[in-house]
């Protein structure tokens, strides 16, 4: 983790090292969205773990302002000047960053797109999870646990983002299977914990009975739990990401379940595909990871911190 940049200052400090990277292996620039969501930290650890195993140098680009489109666009301009060997890219916005991807491609830098699929552009491969089915299976798990009845709310992520659209679509389709469950509110909290806490506090004032919360990521699920605790109220809560904090809360019984979005594995695979492409080895064009609902009976393997995990073999995942 010693190469992990923690902001623009660190990024700029590291940028000058690109020119000597070839002597030690390929240089892979990794773009993630923010430093506030543990999911992206898991992605970064996955890229670092794969980079170490493959003897490639990893440079992290992280907006200091969460999910900032202008800042990520500026970082793309920087990476084109520094010209790493390849880029592993998570767009802050899957449409707004299309021109940026075109610029990277125009600079002849191979791109592996992970997590949020870019709306268009030339990429070597895409690695992601099935957001719709993660939302569907996690939603089903909550609604079954509620006995198929009661009031639920949905806390959405960033409106218009593909992950949010598909996860919420999965939640909504799960609700259709349980006609005695009523959706009493659906509001965005932009994938942010504090915003989720505030949204939940407001919703609890309007709704005296909330039995379940479908949160489109773990930080929002944690914010909802904090709001419930603050009001001394109870509801079953599920999130998505499979973060360490979520696993700890599942273990303690505070969180019912979390859909595993496999950030660590996505980071591993994105990096390995980038390196294998540079080494002119065969790579898959697309990998979609299968949904897993982490809950009370299967959380144990997820207790291992991502820093202590090993990347899976690409051949095993890409079967």
């Amino acid at each position: 983790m010693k190469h992990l940049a923690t902001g623009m200052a660190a990024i700029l400090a590291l940028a000058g090292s690109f020119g000597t990277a070839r002597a030690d292996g390929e240089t892979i620039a990794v773009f993630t969205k923010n430093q506030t969501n543990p999911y992206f930290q898991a992605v970064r650890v996955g890229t670092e773990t794969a980079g170490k195993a493959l003897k490639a140098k990893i440079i992290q680009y992280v907006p200091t302002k969460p999910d900032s489109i202008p800042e990520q666009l500026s970082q793309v301009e920087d990476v084109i000047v520094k010209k790493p060997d390849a880029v592993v890219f998570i767009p802050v916005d899957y449409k707004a960053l299309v021109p940026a991807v075109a610029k990277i491609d125009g600079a002849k830098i191979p791109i592996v797109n992970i997590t949020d699929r870019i709306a268009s552009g030339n990429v070597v491969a895409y690695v992601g999870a099935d957001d719709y089915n993660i939302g569907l299976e996690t939603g089903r798990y909550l609604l079954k646990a509620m006995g198929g009845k009661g009031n639920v709310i949905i806390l959405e992520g960033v409106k218009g983002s593909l992950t949010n659209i598909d996860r919420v679509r999965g939640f909504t389709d799960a609700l259709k299977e349980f006609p005695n469950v009523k959706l009493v509110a659906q509001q965005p909290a932009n994938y942010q914990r504090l915003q989720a806490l505030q949204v939940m506090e407001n919703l609890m004032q309007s709704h005296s009975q909330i039995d379940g919360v479908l949160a489109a990521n773990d930080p929002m699920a944690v914010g909802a739990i904090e709001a419930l605790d603050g009001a001394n109220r109870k509801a079953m809560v599920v999130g998505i990401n499979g973060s360490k904090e979520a696993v700890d809360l599942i273990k303690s019984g505070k969180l019912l379940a979390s859909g595993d979005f496999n950030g660590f594995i996505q980071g591993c695979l994105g990096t390995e595909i980038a390196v294998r492409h540079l080494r002119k080895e065969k790579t898959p064009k697309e990998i979609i990871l299968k949904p897993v609902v982490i809950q009370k009976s299967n959380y144990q393997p997820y207790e291992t911190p991502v820093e202590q995990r090993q990347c899976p073999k690409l051949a095993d995942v890409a079967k």
Side-chain angles (χ1 to χ4, degrees):
M1 292 299 297
K2 64 182 179 181
H3 297 306
L4 185 63
T6 56
M8 180 60 80
I11 289 165
L12 294 175
L14 287 166
S17 65
F18 278 22
T20 58
R22 271 292 186 185
D24 298 319
E26 300 88 346
T27 298
I28 311 298
V30 177
F31 285 74
T32 48
K33 291 184 177 184
N34 59 60
Q35 300 178 57
T36 56
N37 187 338
Y39 169 79
F40 296 109
Q41 174 63 8
V43 171
R44 291 188 284 270
V45 173
T47 64
E48 297 281 347
T49 303
K52 184 177 180 180
L54 296 163
K55 302 187 184 308
K57 184 178 178 65
I58 306 298
I59 305 295
Q60 305 286 350
Y61 278 79
V62 190
T64 53
K65 181 181 178 182
D67 298 60
S68 169
I69 293 174
E71 194 170 348
Q72 193 172 63
L73 287 170
S74 174
Q75 291 176 344
V76 167
E77 295 292 339
D78 184 72
V79 89
I80 289 171
V81 172
K82 300 300 185 291
K83 209 169 178 56
D85 296 298
V87 165
V88 174
F89 195 72
I90 301 178
V92 164
D93 183 290
Y94 76 108
K95 290 182 179 177
L97 271 295
V98 167
V101 166
K103 283 188 175 182
I104 298 171
D105 183 47
K108 308 297 182 188
I109 303 171
I111 306 163
V112 177
N113 178 202
I114 68 171
T115 301
D116 291 76
R117 193 192 297 268
I118 195 75
S120 65
N122 184 30
V123 299
V124 172
Y126 171 74
V127 179
D130 187 335
D131 283 291
Y132 169 77
N133 276 311
I134 289 176
L136 181 67
E137 296 299 333
T138 309
R140 281 174 173 163
Y141 190 81
L142 170 72
L143 302 175
K144 286 179 182 175
M146 289 170 53
K149 59 184 179 182
N151 295 335
V152 301
I153 65 170
I154 292 177
L155 295 178
E156 293 196 38
V158 176
K159 282 281 191 183
S161 70
L162 273 182
T163 55
N164 184 65
I165 292 170
D166 288 343
R167 290 175 190 181
V168 171
R169 189 163 58 88
F171 287 159
T172 304
D173 282 354
L175 281 164
K176 292 175 182 174
E177 299 174 2
F178 296 86
N180 293 323
V181 176
K182 183 179 180 182
L183 177 64
V184 296
Q186 180 172 339
Q187 288 193 18
N190 298 315
Y191 290 138
Q192 300 296 315
R193 178 175 182 159
L194 179 58
Q195 289 186 39
L197 186 152
Q198 294 166 340
V199 168
M200 189 71 190
E201 286 177 338
N202 291 334
L203 290 175
M204 285 192 296
Q205 292 179 15
S206 307
H207 302 283
S208 58
Q209 184 65 42
I210 296 173
D211 304 295
V213 179
L214 293 153
N217 79 347
D218 285 343
M220 292 194 298
V222 174
I225 290 170
E226 290 172 338
L228 287 161
D229 286 348
N232 197 28
R233 287 175 60 169
K234 301 289 184 184
M236 294 181 182
V237 181
V238 296
I240 289 176
N241 283 154
S243 64
K244 179 64 167 62
E245 184 175 23
V247 172
D248 290 342
L249 289 171
I250 291 169
K251 185 178 180 180
S252 69
K254 282 281 194 179
L255 181 69
L256 182 68
S258 175
D260 184 15
F261 200 59
N262 290 305
F264 174 78
I265 293 177
Q266 290 192 37
C268 289
L269 298 179
T271 302
E272 182 169 351
I273 289 172
V275 172
R276 288 174 66 95
H277 174 78
L278 292 169
R279 295 175 184 177
K280 302 189 183 306
E281 298 174 5
K282 186 177 180 181
T283 60
K285 190 65 180 174
E286 178 174 291
I287 296 177
I288 304 295
L289 301 169
K290 294 179 180 178
V292 175
V293 179
I294 305 169
Q295 31 85 14
K296 199 77 174 179
S297 68
N298 68 352
Y299 71 83
Q300 288 86 355
Y302 296 90
E303 286 190 287
T304 302
V306 289
E307 290 81 2
Q308 298 175 19
R309 297 180 190 177
Q310 298 297 314
C311 289
K313 293 180 180 178
L314 179 61
D316 291 341
V317 180
K319 287 179 180 176

